[in-house]
Amino acid sequence: MSIQLSVDIDNIKGFLAASEGEALFHLATKAAPLGACLEVGSYCGKSSVYLGSACRESDNILFAIDHHLGSEEHQPGEEYHDPDLFDNGAQLMDSFRTFRANIRAAELEEFVVPVVAPSAIAARRWNTPLGLVFIDGGHSREAALTDYRCWARHIVPGGFLAIHDIFPDPADGGQAPFEIYQLALASGQFELVEMVDTLGILRRI
């Protein structure tokens, strides 16, 4: 089923395939009766627009967690460094200004709540039940495990855990997202719903 967005999603920087974004949109719609949505790793807002647009339709909220300083692979000299997002004055990556502009253009400011902080700090006093958690933060083993351990426990029964960039074959990509996907299944608390390209969708039992 095609979806309607308020912006041209192809103009937003990011690494989410259209099929994965549409799957997130429909997943957020299903999750709405269960609780708020939350994503870890917003970058410039591509996934936030998909999830936030679903929240707008269902009168829900998306909490968008990101320190906006870029993951390891976004730093100067690394493979996915984008000089347009580098703050020369601060000598730091900073995707927050671009993120805010994209959320504003998509008319989602009432439905997307940015939390500009590292995942572990944002989770420290978190008490809001969640219907959907989407993990797409740092892809180091430490970062992925932190995101999973901080947020999966807040998903209500029947709620969803979505993990991006799952590559079972190490030749195709980094293994940290695949590791937390396996960890979730091995916990006995989650069951696989479907895979959409590299997006794994699980349900809290």
Side-chain angles (χ1 to χ4, degrees):
M1 181 186 299
S2 61
I3 60 176
Q4 297 296 319
L5 304 174
S6 300
V7 292
D8 184 351
I9 198 70
D10 293 331
N11 287 335
I12 298 179
K13 296 175 186 287
F15 311 97
L16 192 72
S19 57
E20 296 169 336
E22 291 176 9
L24 286 176
F25 178 94
H26 295 302
L27 196 62
T29 301
K30 292 179 184 177
L34 302 172
C37 297
L38 181 144
E39 68 172 359
V40 183
S42 304
Y43 194 46
C44 294
K46 186 181 285 280
S47 59
S48 315
V49 168
Y50 280 111
L51 291 166
S53 297
C55 288
R56 178 172 57 195
E57 289 195 4
S58 53
D59 195 26
N60 201 3
I61 287 290
L62 169 69
F63 295 99
I65 313 289
D66 199 315
H67 49 56
H68 286 284
L69 299 176
S71 300
E72 300 85 350
E73 64 271 18
H74 299 141
Q75 302 309 313
E78 298 299 324
E79 183 177 3
Y80 293 103
H81 175 66
D82 186 338
D84 291 342
L85 301 177
F86 191 73
D87 183 333
N88 287 303
Q91 286 294 294
L92 292 170
M93 291 297 296
D94 187 356
S95 56
F96 187 49
R97 178 177 294 185
T98 302
F99 169 86
R100 288 189 66 185
N102 288 330
I103 295 303
R104 187 181 307 116
E107 301 175 357
L108 293 174
E109 290 177 295
E110 294 183 19
F111 303 94
V112 176
V113 178
V115 181
V116 185
S119 180
I121 293 176
R124 192 176 292 168
R125 292 280 183 161
W126 193 268
N127 290 308
T128 302
L130 300 170
L132 166 64
V133 168
F134 172 49
I135 296 179
D136 192 21
H139 283 17
S140 69
R141 187 171 188 272
E142 179 183 2
L145 282 172
T146 295
D147 292 340
Y148 171 71
R149 289 168 176 164
C150 283
W151 299 107
R153 60 193 175 93
H154 293 290
I155 301 171
V156 301
F160 299 96
L161 171 64
I163 302 171
H164 191 225
D165 289 334
I166 294 176
F167 297 106
D169 186 345
D172 295 330
Q175 291 297 284
F178 182 54
E179 287 183 27
I180 62 170
Y181 163 78
Q182 291 181 304
L183 192 63
L185 289 175
S187 72
Q189 297 180 348
F190 293 92
E191 60 183 2
L192 178 63
V193 176
E194 65 174 327
M195 290 289 303
V196 179
D197 292 337
T198 71
L199 179 70
I201 298 172
L202 300 91
R203 181 185 290 109
R204 181 77 181 262
I205 299 171

